[in-house]
Amino acid sequence: MALTEKEQIRRAHLDALREAGVEPFPADAWPTTHRAADVVAGYDDAQHDPEAEGTTPTRVTIAGRMMTKRVMGKAAFFHLADESGTVQIYAKRDSLPEGFYNGVFKKLLDTGDWVGIEGTVFRTRMGEVSVEADRLVLLAKSLKPLPVEKTVTDEATGETKTFNEVSDPEFRYRQRYADLALHPEVRDVFRARHRIVRTLQGFLDDQGYVEVETPALQPLYGGAAARPFTTHHNALDMPLFLRIADELYLKRLLVGGFEGVYEIAKDFRNEGLSRFHNPEFTMLELYVAFKDYDWMMGLVERMIEAVAVAVHGSTDVPRTIGDETHTLDVSAPFRRLPIFDAIAEATGHQLYDAEAGRVADRDTIAAVAREIGIGVDDSMGAGKLVDEIFGEAVEPGLIQPTFITDYPVELSPLAKRHRSKPGLVERFELIVGGKELCNAFSELNDPLDQRARFEDQAGLAAAGDDEAVNTIDEDFLRALEYGMPPAACLGVGVDRLVMLMTDQPSIRDVLLFPQLRPETASTADGNAEADDEG
């Protein structure tokens, strides 16, 4: 790729530095004593009063990226940024080694360069806490300038607009390193993500549950309705699949005698990209013996409360949906609403006959789906149609936390049949802000019922449902035949939980390196739209 004029200038600076005996990428360590934010926050005017007895200016050693540079003859100011924040640096010719200021700093150092600073802390006449450098060392040369934001104000309307590559989502997601360097608030999102994951782990560890690891490469995929990624193992000459869920392996551990296990891991589903879907995503799955889905609802309420308090200090969570900002109250208890009652509220059609104990026939459900504008084809069974109706007519309107319960059997091949509602299973999904956050059920542990449901799924796959599981996991069935205790399970979309808690509009905003289409000349320049199906 051809170098821009600015990149060519920086390459020339690189060569000149070496000619001057300055290594642009030194190997020496640069031990620091302070971070930028600590220098500013820890400044005490009384301690640095030159007229007071016994005061000594604080000396610091810091390192970071040079973000600005204002040269004024024999002196210069620049802002140095590290992970904690920024601090102003004052450099003057007479305080640095002879020839360094004019020969190196003024001419050959550029914004974006990483530098080490030793010096004393003081407050300028303008009131800004700064460091006067008596040693300035280049730690790493920046050969590509960071994008510069340009702000333009319309004189007629007073409206201010910012123009730069980093305001373009495509550029930000592809060049996350530039996004992070320029926008500390983006780093804050990922610090919050770290805190959320640690809170989940700590909460579950405190319950006595064991965090485990299960295979990402599996000879058979299962545990969810999704298309897998397929690969091939050369030595074994066999196909393998990237897992779509952890479920079937974690349930094997219950058979083996563990009573509470969980895993926070990457899952992979060969599906489209959207604001809420990435083919590689993070899931929390939990399995607890001797519990049911009703008990699991209580645990989820407490866990979501703990996460909210860790991030916001309270159970009030701000969330922007469309053009409106909502305050979500995630304090227990959450509303509990059976799925067919939710559909009846939204559409006026009750598709479950409680007295007869059966779900409406497929043709009746299909007619309701068509009535609300859902396309129907022969591959869609009754359960799939119920799911489509719920997603179209109900889910977007569920803003405050709501447990949707009691799904049709066809939609939940791994859930236990409902103890009092024929044709349904003991399952719930937690919907918050109009999107699914959790999925859970009382686990199916009857191996004969499980085999029959696997066979039903294979039939749906043969009929054209490309998300139905088309293989029967005989080893998993064998494990169930040894006996699995009654249990409750939970799956939490960690990425969506982070979106919710940090009020981010897209899953790409909470993934450091989201999946994107191959880069083209236009996307390399940051001019293309982000790949998004809505």
Side-chain angles (χ1 to χ4, degrees), residues 250-271:
L250 292 173
K251 288 165 75 171
R252 286 169 167 92
L253 299 180
L254 296 185
V255 173
F258 283 98
E259 294 183 5
V261 292
Y262 74 94
E263 183 170 18
I264 299 176
K266 292 288 189 182
D267 288 343
F268 308 86
R269 297 182 185 178
N270 202 345
E271 58 189 13

Side-chain angles (χ1 to χ4, degrees), residues 43 64 77 120 157 258 263 298 305 318-319 367 384-385 404 417 426 468 483-484 521:
Y43 185 83
F77 287 96
T120 55
T157 65
F258 283 98
E263 183 170 18
E305 282 182 332
R319 181 64 172 150
K384 177 77 169 179
L385 290 168
I404 297 296
R417 292 181 185 274
E426 296 192 344
M484 189 184 90

Side-chain angles (χ1 to χ4, degrees), residues 236-404:
L236 295 176
D237 190 24
M238 63 180 288
L240 290 172
F241 305 94
L242 286 176
R243 66 181 167 208
I244 62 174
D246 311 349
E247 177 165 345
L248 301 187
Y249 283 92
L250 292 173
K251 288 165 75 171
R252 286 169 167 92
L253 299 180
L254 296 185
V255 173
F258 283 98
E259 294 183 5
V261 292
Y262 74 94
E263 183 170 18
I264 299 176
K266 292 288 189 182
D267 288 343
F268 308 86
R269 297 182 185 178
N270 202 345
E271 58 189 13
L273 306 177
S274 79
R275 289 191 302 118
F276 297 96
H277 297 89
N278 194 69
E280 175 184 354
F281 60 98
T282 303
M283 282 287 292
L284 160 65
E285 291 202 31
L286 167 70
Y287 293 79
V288 185
F290 316 122
K291 307 297 184 184
D292 63 11
Y293 82 139
D294 188 66
W295 173 90
M296 185 63 81
M297 289 186 221
L299 181 132
V300 168
E301 289 170 339
R302 299 195 306 276
M303 187 169 69
I304 300 300
E305 282 182 332
V307 170
V309 170
V311 176
H312 296 286
S314 78
T315 55
D316 289 338
V317 177
R319 181 64 172 150
T320 303
I321 303 172
D323 296 328
E324 297 181 354
T325 300
H326 299 260
T327 298
L328 305 181
D329 179 7
V330 299
S331 61
F334 302 163
R335 184 188 184 196
R336 304 184 182 193
L337 181 64
I339 188 171
F340 286 106
D341 291 350
I343 290 172
E345 285 184 7
T347 68
H349 297 280
Q350 178 54 259
L351 300 177
Y352 181 76
D353 186 336
E355 290 188 7
R358 65 171 180 267
V359 179
D361 61 76
R362 181 191 178 280
D363 289 344
T364 299
I365 299 172
V368 173
R370 291 189 184 96
E371 180 181 309
I372 62 175
I374 295 172
V376 177
D377 61 55
D378 292 341
S379 71
M380 301 168 73
K384 177 77 169 179
L385 290 168
V386 168
D387 192 41
E388 292 289 328
I389 293 169
F390 175 79
E392 178 68 24
V394 181
E395 188 175 45
L398 298 176
I399 305 303
Q400 295 298 331
T402 304
F403 288 122
I404 297 296

Side-chain angles (χ1 to χ4, degrees), residues 70-108:
R70 291 181 291 121
V71 177
M72 299 168 290
K74 298 178 182 180
F77 287 96
F78 65 89
H79 280 94
L80 179 141
D82 63 14
E83 188 178 1
S84 71
T86 62
V87 63
Q88 180 170 262
I89 307 298
Y90 175 55
K92 61 182 180 179
R93 185 190 66 183
D94 296 340
S95 296
L96 296 172
E98 185 176 354
F100 184 87
Y101 181 83
N102 287 327
V104 175
F105 175 77
K106 284 177 64 174
K107 296 180 180 179
L108 305 179

Side-chain angles (χ1 to χ4, degrees), residues 148-153 159-163:
V148 177
E149 292 187 347
K150 299 178 181 179
T151 301
V152 177
T153 302
E159 182 182 4
T160 298
K161 293 184 179 180
T162 299
F163 299 89

Side-chain angles (χ1 to χ4, degrees), residues 381-510:
K384 177 77 169 179
L385 290 168
V386 168
D387 192 41
E388 292 289 328
I389 293 169
F390 175 79
E392 178 68 24
V394 181
E395 188 175 45
L398 298 176
I399 305 303
Q400 295 298 331
T402 304
F403 288 122
I404 297 296
T405 66
D406 304 343
Y407 284 68
V409 170
E410 184 181 329
L411 264 183
S412 311
L414 297 167
K416 181 168 286 190
R417 292 181 185 274
H418 200 285
R419 66 196 74 183
S420 62
K421 299 178 180 179
L424 307 184
V425 295
E426 296 192 344
R427 173 188 174 189
F428 72 79
E429 290 183 317
L430 174 60
I431 312 298
V432 189
K435 288 295 177 182
E436 175 199 345
L437 192 63
C438 305
N439 184 33
F441 28 82
S442 301
E443 280 293 342
L444 176 61
N445 59 345
D446 179 342
L448 301 181
D449 190 358
Q450 182 65 83
R451 178 178 291 278
R453 296 212 217 161
F454 277 159
E455 291 170 350
D456 289 343
Q457 284 285 299
L460 290 172
D465 187 342
D466 58 8
E467 291 188 345
V469 177
N470 63 0
T471 55
I472 296 176
D473 190 335
E474 293 290 348
D475 180 71
F476 175 66
L477 292 172
R478 177 171 59 191
L480 288 187
E481 289 174 354
Y482 279 110
M484 189 184 90
C489 80
L490 171 69
V492 180
V494 173
D495 307 311
R496 289 192 180 182
L497 179 59
V498 177
M499 288 173 61
L500 177 75
M501 291 295 167
T502 59
D503 196 22
Q504 296 301 308
S506 171
I507 193 172
R508 296 184 181 95
D509 293 314
V510 300

